[in-house]
Amino acid sequence: QLQLVESGGGLVQPGGSLRLSCTANGSLDYFTIGWFRQAPGKEREGLSCITYYNLNTNYADSVKGRATISRDDAKNTVFLRIDRLKPEDTAVYYCAAFGGPEPAICPVPLDGHLFWGQGTQVTVSS
């Protein structure tokens, strides 16, 4: 079964940047990948997604213009970079993989039968 591990979280000052990684224990070929986050007391929020063949991307309004999703399939890894971080970006960040037919534009939040990682904590604070 596909397993995903997120990394790259930590404590960041407001206005700073970070790059999260989502690494699989096997090939991510043909998988559409999504990033999500969940802040304490809030529902899980979809942030971004990227398809495999066409590398189409999509972003939630909350991170649009500040986030960049990318993938390196040779390394079985998908990245999410977020710039100009705000305290409200504090959350546990998760990645998920969808192995079904590739959508023309992946939805945010990514839906369907998903394989999930365990999450990485991001705290934005001075």
Side-chain angles (χ1 to χ4, degrees):
Q1 181 169 333
L2 187 70
Q3 295 180 338
L4 305 173
V5 177
E6 300 92 340
S7 61
L11 175 63
V12 185
Q13 290 192 342
S17 301
L18 56 72
R19 188 179 76 160
L20 303 176
S21 299
C22 170
T23 301
N25 65 338
S27 174
L28 286 177
D29 290 359
Y30 315 116
F31 283 91
T32 296
I33 307 298
W35 280 96
F36 300 75
R37 68 185 178 190
Q38 188 165 20
K42 295 189 176 181
E43 293 187 355
R44 187 169 59 202
E45 175 189 14
L47 299 177
S48 184
C49 58
I50 185 168
T51 61
Y52 171 70
Y53 282 108
N54 295 316
L55 300 178
N56 288 328
T57 61
N58 200 2
Y59 298 91
D61 288 343
S62 58
V63 296
K64 192 173 293 183
R66 300 191 296 129
T68 303
I69 190 170
S70 60
R71 61 192 297 161
D72 183 345
D73 291 307
K75 296 182 179 179
N76 301 329
T77 300
V78 175
F79 304 98
L80 181 69
R81 178 182 172 92
I82 306 178
D83 298 316
R84 303 190 300 280
L85 283 160
K86 310 171 186 178
E88 50 264 44
D89 292 317
T90 295
V92 179
Y93 284 69
Y94 302 89
C95 63
F98 173 69
E102 177 163 309
I105 300 293
C106 53
V108 176
L110 188 64
D111 57 10
H113 177 71
L114 301 177
F115 298 93
W116 290 91
Q118 293 299 306
T120 185
Q121 175 71 46
V122 172
T123 301
V124 184
S125 174
S126 55

